Amino acid sequence: VHEKGYTTQLIGADAVKYINAQDANKPFYLYLTFNAPHTPYQAPKDYVDRYPNIADPTRRTYAGMVTCLDDEIGKVVAALDKKGLRDNTLVIFVSDNGAPRRTGSNAPLRGYKASVDEGGIRTPFVATWPARLPAGKVYDQPVSSLDVAATAVAAAGLPKAPELDGTDLTPFVSGQNPGTPHERLFWRWGSQAAVL
């Protein structure tokens, strides 16, 4: 159970168990933080074995970790579907940084994890909420992971606490607000800094 891939499977199974235990008529919140892909690079052998054409063993393991993560997220979404909750559930997927130099590529972006170049700070941020957000819409304005909490609070119909950073993204990604959620965003990593 110490290998990252197995941990990913345990976290996914716990999330599905949690969803299955929920009353479909009551709202719930699930903050699901998978710890992979990340060092140490470990994955179940059957996932690593799916990539025999990747020569570098570390990259092959990393690919297995990503595939394992994909499968577990798929199981979570399937559990929501099975309970009939998918349409009215906000699901957000976000990464905390770009791929590390050793295992990934951020092409065509320059930079990697631990840099403030776009390859280090521009990451996947995917939101789906079939009842409220148009499917397939791409929103190309910069947002922040701080926006996740503010968006979740708004989705629950609660007022935003003054001390909560971030912006509710729903009006922006749905097209109701043609503006941008942030005038400026700032990053700092060690002595590096960036402003957008």
Side-chain angles (χ1 to χ4, degrees):
V1 297
H2 297 291
E3 291 186 294
K4 292 281 185 178
Y6 294 112
T7 304
T8 298
Q9 291 171 320
L10 290 172
I11 292 170
D14 279 351
V16 168
K17 183 178 177 181
Y18 175 81
I19 291 167
N20 289 338
Q22 298 309 302
D23 179 341
N25 297 310
K26 293 183 179 178
F28 65 90
Y29 179 80
L30 174 60
Y31 181 71
L32 184 56
T33 54
F34 288 101
N35 59 355
H38 200 278
T39 57
Y41 300 123
Q42 301 167 330
K45 185 177 183 316
D46 59 321
Y47 279 95
V48 176
D49 290 347
R50 294 183 191 186
Y51 298 96
N53 295 332
I54 299 176
D56 182 296
T58 302
R59 289 184 72 116
R60 187 169 51 251
T61 300
Y62 190 83
M65 293 171 80
V66 171
T67 302
C68 185
L69 173 65
D70 286 347
D71 285 353
E72 294 308 312
I73 292 170
K75 290 174 186 176
V76 169
V77 173
L80 292 169
D81 278 332
K82 187 175 179 181
K83 283 195 76 108
L85 300 173
R86 184 69 189 91
D87 282 348
N88 201 29
T89 299
L90 171 62
V91 176
I92 297 174
F93 176 87
V94 62
S95 178
D96 59 348
N97 49 251
R101 184 182 309 271
R102 176 72 176 93
T103 56
S105 169
N106 300 306
L109 305 176
R110 182 174 57 122
Y112 293 89
K113 176 181 178 176
S115 80
V116 296
D117 294 319
E118 269 194 282
I121 60 175
R122 186 174 179 173
T123 66
F125 193 124
V126 179
T128 175
W129 189 359
R132 296 275 307 274
L133 299 177
K137 181 172 177 21
V138 174
Y139 183 75
D140 62 359
Q141 296 301 313
V143 299
S144 168
S145 58
L146 294 173
D147 298 329
V148 173
T151 303
V153 166
L158 301 171
K160 181 182 169 189
E163 64 274 9
L164 182 63
D165 288 328
T167 301
D168 173 19
L169 297 176
T170 307
F172 299 97
V173 298
S174 68
Q176 295 171 342
N177 186 333
T180 59
H182 303 285
E183 184 178 330
R184 296 276 182 267
L185 290 173
F186 303 86
W187 292 266
R188 186 175 68 194
W189 181 264
S191 62
Q192 304 174 71
V195 178
L196 177 65

